[in-house]
Amino acid sequence: MTLIWIIAIFFAGGLLCWAAQFVNRVLIKWIALIAAVANLALVGAAYAEYRNGSAPGDWLIDYTVNWIPSFAIKFHIALDGLSLVLLLLTAFLGVLAVLCSWKEIKERVGFYYFNLLWTLAGITGVFVAMDLFLFYFFWEVMIVPMYFLIAIWGDSNRRYASYKFFIFTQAGGLLMLVSILALFFINHANTGNYTFDFFELQNITLSVAEGRWIMLGFLVAFVIKLPAVPFHSWLPDAHSEAPTAGSLILAGLLLKTGAYGIMRFVITLFPQNSAEIAQWAMLVGVIGIIYGAMLAFAQNDLKRFIAYTSVSHMGFILLGVYSFREMAFDGVVMQMLTHGISTGALFAMAGMIKERLHTREMGNMGGLWTGMPLMGGLALLFAMASLGLPMMGNFIAEFLILVGAYEVNPTLTIIASIGLVFAALYSLRMMQRVFFGPRTTPDRHPEPFLRQGELREGSAHSASAVYDLSAREFTILISLSVAIVILGLFPQPVLDSVNTVVQSLIQKNTP
Amino acid sequence: MNQLVYLVPLFPLIGFLLNGVFRNYLPKNLSGLIGSGAILVSFVISVLLFIEVKNGLVINQTLFDFISVGELSVPFAFQVDQLSSIFLLIITGVGFLIHLYSTAYMHEERAPHFARYFAYLNLFVFSMLLLVLGSNFVIMFIGWEGVGLCSYLLIGYWFKNDSYNNAAKKAFIMNRIGDFGFLIAIFWMILVFGSTNFADVFSKAATMPVGAAALTGITLLLFLGATGKSAQIPLYTWLPDAMAGPTPVSALIHAATMVTAGIYMIARSNVMYTLAPVTQTVVAIIGLATAILAATIALRQFDIKKVLAYSTVSQLGYMFVGLGVGAYTGAVFHVMTHAFFKALLFLGAGSVIHAMHHEQDIRNMGGLKKHLPITHITFLIGCIAIAGIPPLSGFFSKDEILAGAWSVNKIYWVIGVIGAMMTAWYMFRLYATTFLGKFRGTPEQEHHLHESPAAITIPLIILAILSFVGGWIGIPEVILPDAHALEHFLAPVFAKSNELKQAHHIEHSTELMLMTVSVAGALIAAIIAWIKYSRKTDMESRGFGKVLENKWYVDELYDKIIVRPLYATGKFFNRQVEKNLIDWLVNGIGKLVHYGSRQMRWMQSGQVGSYVLLMVLGMLVFFVLQFFIKK
């Protein structure tokens, strides 16, 4: 029941927010925050209960009711270790996304939080849906509100960005739908049984050619979402134009649905076909790593820069998944979590800087450390996380992926490791251009938030002056910092949670 | 005692957290106290540990399961043996002196920055301790990257200056290139040995044949890591630039401790290196080449810190020669003596810079002898020690390396001695130009000249004593039989290697002869330089000197062949591939659909007549096609 509660709270919270717009505008934010916090508590409780993962082949939660019986569509949701840790990430970033929007959003607030919570509901659903039609349904639920978030509350070029985002993901989604239907009918032809249920469809037998085409449908949807080069071109636009919380959710969660889809569906349903394309998929991953990094250090727009680092980091997912090694799978899960946290934090910071300076151009920044030592220190932490410094979660993730992949393809792994050198290059360049160097903007408050007292953020004449983090902003960033360091020092609990899932994936994919 | 190992890195970590978190609230003397006190406590514990391992014990402590996946288990565990114990003493001992020194040297900084400085410094010591305490390569790697981060932070400590930031960035990235090699070596190790624990890896490696491909590969990759951290060809150019950091930082990180991490790593993996003769040759040759190259550059530098920086690169080269020829004890010995005299020289230089109000060009100094008596005498001791003149410490360690070089290849020895002569030359050039002759600075500077406070001179005096007597723990067999205490102490660490390698023995008479030649060479070079530069200061380089002053133009070369092409490629991808290809395609498809639908619009005109016409035409086409296909 927990899962249903989580999804229901997001949906209901969203509706309430929208409704509250016509009653009391102050309420809206609080409703959203309470919904998000409640869900974090629920997921936290679920994690405490199930953190040791399930027995092999078993599910922690498995819940089915008939939804549209005439089309054999069931409302089937289930939870295993993989879904569990991703739900934890979703709930965590959900709270932060609400907090990020607290001051930034001033227009159509109710509708904004409606979209925010519905996107989160969609993402939650994607991570637990075990009926393929239901999965597709949640997939759409997460995309449409996100489209609105970008199109309405985005930056100057938001129309272009939101179209691009929508058309890209929708094209992928439709191909996936075709594949789902193909599975549905082939399964019927084989067994005389109409079903969208993932558990049943896992046992389907497909000819090599059938499998190849059907897999491709799924794969295209997921690699667009991931994104893999060359399907990434929606991402820099969407990320840079979206409002802060939008970027946070896009980078932190939406990209992970692509990775999740590949792990959950593609390599589980089509093990042989996946083995066929494994080398190519790893190659695409490595190209993404290098290409994303190269582009990252050619960017001047802070948010575009972070977007390209995402492209680079997501390349590791393909490299890891398609090496079919236990360590690499563990690394992929870690990468989903840690990239969500570290990139989320970077986007949150980009948003905070934008609120102060009204620009995303790194050329107009510089020397911000002087005015914001607190943010500078935290930015440094996340820059280090992003470049894969040990003691941060990202290192564990990339390390495990590379160890696993090295066994399969040393050459590609070595090239991928060059990505780590590039990561240092672009991260330090960002730090230098934004936080170090001579000061280019007047700062109003060289002291951190605790000493400000009377001077609060957002006051009228603070227009382009620099002041350090407010208590709210500090809460957002410090919780992300703590999370990334804990994952870097104690990754083992996560690895234990997903152990059985990874074991079964290994079993399926060992010829 | 055995379970207290974790306390050694714990105190610097606490110091870092206190100073880092409360940097806005701590008064300066308190943050200085926290910073130095933490290291002092660590030093005391290190001494206790040293006494423990002196009796041949090896202490192991596992804190928790760090990563454990399938067969691979990486515990977060520490190991203290004789080798790590020596490094612990150097890091915390010299580290403490430098912290103490910093409290005076950095006194002009504002309180939050002062605390930030000590936070970074403590974080550095913490990472460095992890590096030498880790009982597997992954923990070592954590410390390895951690010290790189701290080095970056401290070089760029004055972050408003962009050229300092560039130096910091350069250091980090060049280190990262080395770390890349280290990382691949770890992957390969896991593949071959299934573990990264020292005990497992080395015992399995010892059973492999000499020259096994995997061993050669792994050791070469590890060595790539070492060239980054320990500033060897081709990755040495960051170290001289790193002098942008505060001088105590240069003394601690870029002379005494961090840059010797590469030597520690290879000495630690000595079994693998002994079994990979190809790698050993590479290590020796790179070390030798670096030693000579850096020494030639040091001959023509005018910045007091730059001379010392190139001298560090050069001395590190000697240590690698030691490792390459299998004289592991000698290399570790030189790490130790070098830590004493190079820290001393840097701190002395700091005292000079402090007295001269941030002047670093030796052409504007001269005659400081009478103004800075303590700095002068301690600096002189440092110079004699590094020049390898007995009975000071540098002589013993350098001699051991050179003797090892002779036993493997006589040419190594010849080149090594030439390098040693250059060392004596540039050090006494530096000494004479700075302290002898007439003062060449401004009258105002002269007016303010004064000896530094006690917090600066006390570390100088202690380090000078150590530089003087530090070599006596390793007196060679030929001079005094059975007096090489260090060799006995380290014997368990290198036992396996000594078993595996064929012993080269040098006759005692030959060894004495070699010693005499190298000491005579160094003495002559030192005396000539002393006489030459105390009379006349060289102000400008001409001809070939110009090339040396410009460091053989290696930086310019790297800039041309690596840095610029890399950025150009990034720009090219951004403009050509991303915008003009991918986005063009994406937008093109969009436009095509748009255009296509606009063209189709005339079909939906709403006039029944045209619909009928189209329908008839369509049917006609259909029939014609049908007809042809049937045929």
Side-chain angles (χ1 to χ4, degrees):
Chain A
M1 278 314 275
T2 321
L3 296 181
I4 297 179
W5 273 110
I6 295 167
I7 297 172
I9 287 175
F10 274 136
F11 277 133
L15 289 173
L16 270 177
C17 283
W18 200 358
Q21 191 165 8
F22 307 103
V23 186
N24 182 346
R25 304 186 55 132
V26 189
L27 260 179
I28 301 169
K29 295 189 235 181
W30 287 101
I31 294 173
L33 186 63
I34 288 167
V37 170
N39 274 341
L40 181 60
L42 280 176
V43 179
Y47 180 75
E49 191 179 343
Y50 300 120
R51 70 201 146 104
N52 292 323
S54 53
D58 229 4
W59 293 77
L60 301 168
I61 299 178
D62 190 351
Y63 178 85
T64 319
V65 284
N66 272 334
W67 184 23
I68 313 175
S70 47
F71 292 125
I73 296 170
K74 286 184 290 184
F75 188 87
H76 181 186
I77 53 178
L79 186 80
D80 63 0
L82 177 62
S83 305
L84 181 63
V85 293
L86 288 171
L87 282 195
L88 204 57
L89 181 72
T90 310
F92 178 51
L93 293 185
V95 175
L96 300 184
V98 173
L99 284 176
C100 272
S101 318
W102 211 253
K103 301 261 162 153
E104 189 189 0
I105 303 302
K106 300 193 175 74
E107 287 158 37
R108 304 168 78 174
V109 185
F111 188 50
Y112 173 85
Y113 284 103
F114 165 79
N115 282 309
L116 191 66
L117 293 184
W118 274 52
T119 303
L120 290 169
I123 294 166
T124 311
V126 161
F127 287 144
V128 295
M130 293 299 150
D131 183 280
L132 290 183
F133 191 86
L134 185 68
F135 177 77
Y136 180 75
F137 167 78
F138 280 125
W139 188 266
E140 292 298 312
V141 169
M142 108 191 147
I143 290 169
V144 177
M146 181 49 79
Y147 165 77
F148 283 122
L149 284 182
I150 303 170
I152 300 177
W153 294 274
D155 224 333
S156 48
N157 195 19
R158 57 180 178 263
R159 251 172 70 97
Y160 174 74
S162 57
Y163 276 176
K164 209 169 173 183
F165 164 75
F166 190 76
I167 290 171
F168 260 87
T169 40
Q170 197 59 19
L174 288 173
L175 285 175
M176 179 169 75
L177 183 63
V178 172
S179 284
I180 291 175
L181 292 175
L183 278 182
F184 180 73
F185 288 115
I186 290 174
N187 185 55
H188 173 251
N190 288 352
T191 64
N193 184 12
Y194 281 120
T195 183
F196 281 108
D197 195 296
F198 173 58
F199 292 5
E200 290 176 45
L201 289 175
Q202 273 186 54
N203 306 319
I204 196 168
T205 40
L206 297 168
S207 73
V208 177
E210 281 169 351
R212 206 175 280 156
W213 287 106
I214 297 173
M215 176 186 75
L216 214 58
F218 279 99
L219 198 58
V220 167
F222 296 141
V223 296
I224 288 177
K225 201 96 236 182
L226 191 58
V229 175
F231 303 107
H232 65 284
S233 99
W234 62 272
L235 180 131
D237 289 311
H239 277 60
S240 52
E241 296 301 320
T244 306
S247 311
L248 179 88
I249 291 180
L250 270 172
L253 299 171
L254 246 64
L255 306 190
K256 309 305 173 295
T257 61
Y260 170 83
I262 294 176
M263 273 187 115
R264 172 75 80 212
F265 298 111
V266 176
I267 62 171
T268 313
L269 287 172
F270 315 99
Q272 282 95 5
N273 307 103
S274 299
E276 266 177 23
I277 60 154
Q279 294 296 324
W280 295 106
M282 287 170 84
L283 179 68
V284 171
V286 171
I287 291 174
I289 294 171
I290 300 296
Y291 184 77
M294 283 289 209
L295 278 164
F297 58 70
Q299 300 307 315
N300 291 318
D301 178 321
L302 182 56
K303 286 180 91 175
R304 269 190 105 77
F305 158 78
I306 305 169
Y308 279 111
T309 69
S310 286
V311 174
S312 181
H313 290 310
M314 288 297 105
F316 281 97
I317 299 256
L318 277 183
L319 179 68
V321 169
Y322 281 94
S323 66
F324 303 119
R325 285 293 179 281
E326 187 180 355
M327 270 177 273
F329 281 137
D330 278 331
V332 167
V333 176
M334 284 298 289
Q335 181 80 339
M336 291 194 225
L337 300 180
T338 56
H339 176 265
I341 292 169
S342 67
T343 308
L346 288 175
F347 273 122
M349 264 185 283
M352 292 168 192
I353 291 174
K354 184 159 181 277
E355 276 180 50
R356 288 162 170 81
L357 302 179
H358 303 284
T359 180
R360 303 190 314 233
E361 279 298 307
M362 287 195 261
N364 298 337
M365 300 173 189
L368 292 188
W369 187 301
T370 318
M372 308 194 275
L374 208 53
M375 185 194 269
L378 292 169
L380 184 70
L381 185 106
F382 288 109
M384 290 302 143
S386 169
L387 63 78
L389 195 86
M391 306 277 237
M392 314 280 172
N394 308 52
F395 167 72
I396 309 284
E398 282 163 15
F399 178 76
L400 287 173
I401 290 173
L402 291 170
V403 172
Y406 189 80
E407 216 181 310
V408 182
N409 194 332
T411 318
L412 281 180
T413 310
I414 289 170
I415 301 172
S417 307
I418 294 174
L420 293 176
V421 178
F422 286 168
L425 215 60
Y426 62 64
S427 299
L428 298 185
R429 181 169 174 267
M430 182 277 287
M431 277 309 290
Q432 182 174 359
R433 295 187 67 186
V434 178
F435 289 99
F436 298 147
R439 201 177 349 167
T440 51
T441 39
D443 55 290
R444 224 186 47 189
H445 245 277
E447 309 301 332
F449 72 97
L450 289 165
R451 280 195 185 175
Q452 294 188 29
E454 77 282 29
L455 281 158
R456 283 271 149 239
E457 41 156 338
S459 58
H461 44 266
S462 70
S464 66
V466 176
Y467 45 90
D468 213 341
L469 300 178
S470 72
R472 174 181 59 87
E473 293 169 325
F474 183 71
T475 313
I476 296 171
L477 292 181
I478 203 72
S479 49
L480 287 162
S481 318
V482 170
I484 202 79
V485 173
I486 286 185
L487 282 173
L489 282 178
F490 307 104
Q492 198 58 39
V494 176
L495 305 186
D496 289 338
S497 295
V498 297
N499 186 32
T500 48
V501 183
V502 169
Q503 293 297 345
S504 63
L505 283 177
I506 290 290
Q507 260 179 15
K508 268 219 148 36
N509 286 286
T510 316
Chain B
M1 199 58 228
N2 292 5
Q3 292 315 308
L4 297 183
V5 179
Y6 73 96
L7 291 177
V8 182
L10 181 68
F11 283 100
L13 180 65
I14 293 174
F16 158 69
L17 290 174
L18 286 178
N19 270 328
V21 173
F22 301 109
R23 61 179 191 252
N24 289 296
Y25 310 101
L26 289 174
K28 281 207 275 193
N29 44 17
L30 192 57
S31 39
L33 188 71
I34 294 170
S36 324
I39 310 300
L40 184 62
V41 178
S42 287
F43 176 65
V44 172
I45 304 168
S46 301
V47 171
L48 296 175
L49 288 173
F50 170 76
I51 295 168
E52 203 92 341
V53 297
K54 208 167 172 302
N55 308 323
L57 261 179
V58 174
I59 304 171
N60 279 294
Q61 184 181 26
T62 304
L63 295 185
F64 57 88
D65 241 3
F66 184 44
I67 303 172
S68 157
V69 181
E71 303 283 290
L72 177 73
S73 157
V74 180
F76 205 102
F78 295 147
Q79 169 193 331
V80 184
D81 66 352
Q82 291 74 20
L83 183 62
S84 22
S85 168
I86 295 260
F87 274 86
L88 284 186
L89 289 180
I90 296 173
I91 295 160
T92 53
V94 176
F96 168 68
L97 293 177
I98 291 170
H99 276 69
L100 180 65
Y101 178 99
S102 298
T103 55
Y105 190 83
M106 301 299 284
H107 70 95
E108 287 167 21
E109 295 294 307
R110 278 178 44 230
H113 292 297
F114 191 77
R116 183 165 64 90
Y117 172 82
F118 276 99
Y120 290 166
L121 220 50
N122 278 0
L123 183 64
F124 166 76
V125 174
F126 166 72
S127 311
M128 191 69 205
L129 290 170
L130 275 193
L131 196 162
V132 298
L133 280 174
S135 77
N136 59 57
F137 280 98
V138 176
I139 305 297
M140 192 204 258
F141 186 74
I142 294 178
W144 187 271
E145 288 248 285
V147 291
L149 166 68
C150 299
S151 158
Y152 162 78
L153 291 173
L154 283 161
I155 297 168
Y157 168 74
W158 286 298
F159 58 82
K160 286 177 203 167
N161 184 325
D162 253 333
S163 70
Y164 292 3
N165 288 325
N166 287 334
K169 204 166 65 174
K170 183 172 174 184
F172 196 101
I173 287 161
M174 293 201 113
N175 270 293
R176 253 291 155 121
I177 297 172
D179 297 358
F180 157 80
F182 195 157
L183 206 55
I184 306 283
I186 293 180
F187 302 155
W188 202 340
M189 232 180 262
I190 292 174
L191 192 64
V192 179
F193 304 116
S195 172
T196 62
N197 294 343
F198 293 149
D200 301 337
V201 171
F202 300 145
S203 64
K204 281 184 190 155
T207 63
M208 294 176 95
V210 176
L215 280 181
T216 309
I218 291 172
T219 47
L220 277 175
L221 285 165
L222 284 177
F223 179 58
L224 175 60
T227 57
K229 193 103 327 184
S230 299
Q232 298 295 293
I233 294 173
L235 298 176
Y236 69 96
T237 59
W238 66 269
L239 184 61
D241 288 17
M243 297 302 123
T247 308
V249 170
S250 311
L252 178 62
I253 300 183
H254 304 120
T257 56
M258 183 186 87
V259 289
T260 61
I263 288 95
Y264 169 77
M265 179 228 266
I266 293 180
R268 172 59 73 207
S269 331
N270 62 78
V271 176
M272 293 202 277
Y273 279 84
T274 308
L275 288 172
V278 177
T279 313
Q280 282 212 305
T281 311
V282 172
V283 172
I285 290 175
I286 295 270
L288 213 49
T290 312
I292 289 291
L293 181 82
T296 57
I297 298 173
L299 293 174
R300 300 296 323 160
Q301 296 302 308
F302 294 104
D303 182 322
I304 186 169
K305 287 181 74 181
K306 283 274 160 75
V307 178
L308 294 176
Y310 279 105
S311 147
T312 305
V313 176
S314 172
Q315 295 302 311
L316 290 166
Y318 277 104
M319 297 173 206
F320 280 102
V321 174
L323 297 170
V325 300
Y328 299 113
T329 312
V332 175
F333 192 11
H334 203 53
V335 167
M336 194 191 85
T337 58
H338 179 258
F340 296 150
F341 57 67
K342 193 49 71 63
L344 168 64
L345 290 168
F346 264 115
L347 294 186
S351 175
V352 169
I353 295 166
H354 188 250
M356 296 283 297
H357 285 268
H358 308 296
E359 176 63 65
Q360 300 197 10
D361 194 324
I362 53 173
R363 284 172 294 196
N364 301 332
M365 298 178 183
L368 297 182
K369 186 176 164 185
K370 62 173 185 285
H371 300 285
L372 306 169
I374 300 176
T375 308
H376 162 252
I377 193 78
T378 51
F379 199 90
L380 181 59
I381 291 172
C383 288
I384 302 173
I386 193 176
I389 296 166
L392 275 71
S393 60
F395 160 73
F396 295 98
S397 50
K398 198 180 278 180
D399 180 68
E400 194 169 338
I401 290 172
L402 288 176
W406 174 273
S407 70
V408 171
N409 190 333
K410 298 186 173 55
I411 297 169
Y412 290 176
W413 180 86
V414 173
I415 301 174
V417 170
I418 294 172
M421 288 170 71
M422 283 199 257
T423 309
W425 179 278
Y426 65 69
M427 283 316 299
F428 279 90
R429 166 181 176 266
L430 178 66
Y431 165 75
T433 318
T434 311
F435 289 98
L436 307 179
K438 275 214 311 266
F439 186 74
R440 294 179 296 275
T442 59
E444 198 194 343
Q445 277 173 328
E446 186 164 20
H447 181 71
H448 287 293
L449 275 180
H450 57 91
E451 182 59 280
S452 303
I456 287 182
T457 51
I458 290 172
L460 288 180
I461 294 168
I462 297 175
L463 285 169
I465 296 170
L466 289 171
S467 304
F468 204 108
V469 304
W472 299 354
I473 61 163
I475 298 170
E477 194 83 19
V478 280
I479 298 180
L480 200 63
D482 215 26
H484 204 314
L486 187 70
E487 194 173 337
H488 292 302
F489 178 67
L490 286 174
V493 182
F494 303 125
K496 193 78 204 167
S497 283
N498 290 336
E499 216 174 274
L500 289 166
K501 77 173 176 210
Q502 58 275 52
H504 302 276
H505 255 294
I506 317 180
E507 289 291 316
H508 279 185
S509 56
T510 323
E511 201 177 335
L512 273 177
M513 189 270 292
L514 298 178
M515 221 178 257
T516 319
V517 172
S518 68
V519 170
L523 259 179
I524 293 167
I527 291 168
I528 298 177
W530 180 315
I531 294 168
K532 179 165 189 241
Y533 292 109
S534 56
R535 289 197 187 136
K536 191 174 136 285
T537 313
D538 65 331
M539 302 302 275
E540 228 171 297
S541 305
R542 274 180 308 277
F544 189 60
K546 204 87 196 160
V547 178
L548 294 183
E549 191 183 345
N550 286 304
K551 315 152 210 164
W552 295 91
Y553 299 100
V554 174
D555 274 319
E556 286 77 2
L557 182 74
Y558 283 1
D559 190 57
K560 271 233 166 60
I561 63 169
I562 298 170
V563 181
R564 273 164 208 280
L566 202 60
Y567 278 104
T569 320
K571 283 229 167 64
F572 170 80
F573 275 144
N574 193 35
R575 202 159 304 147
Q576 302 304 327
V577 182
E578 190 76 359
K579 294 243 164 60
N580 291 350
L581 182 71
I582 297 181
D583 263 359
W584 177 80
L585 270 177
V586 169
N587 294 335
I589 291 171
K591 278 199 192 112
L592 199 71
V593 172
H594 206 74
Y595 175 81
S597 45
R598 218 171 337 157
Q599 299 312 306
M600 303 292 265
R601 215 160 43 188
W602 62 268
M603 294 205 297
Q604 305 280 331
S605 57
Q607 290 167 353
V608 182
S610 59
Y611 285 171
V612 172
L613 178 67
L614 273 174
M615 205 165 88
V616 172
L617 278 175
M619 277 158 90
L620 241 150
V621 170
F622 186 71
F623 280 127
V624 170
L625 280 175
Q626 189 90 342
F627 180 72
F628 276 111
I629 288 166
K630 277 248 171 86
K631 266 221 161 147

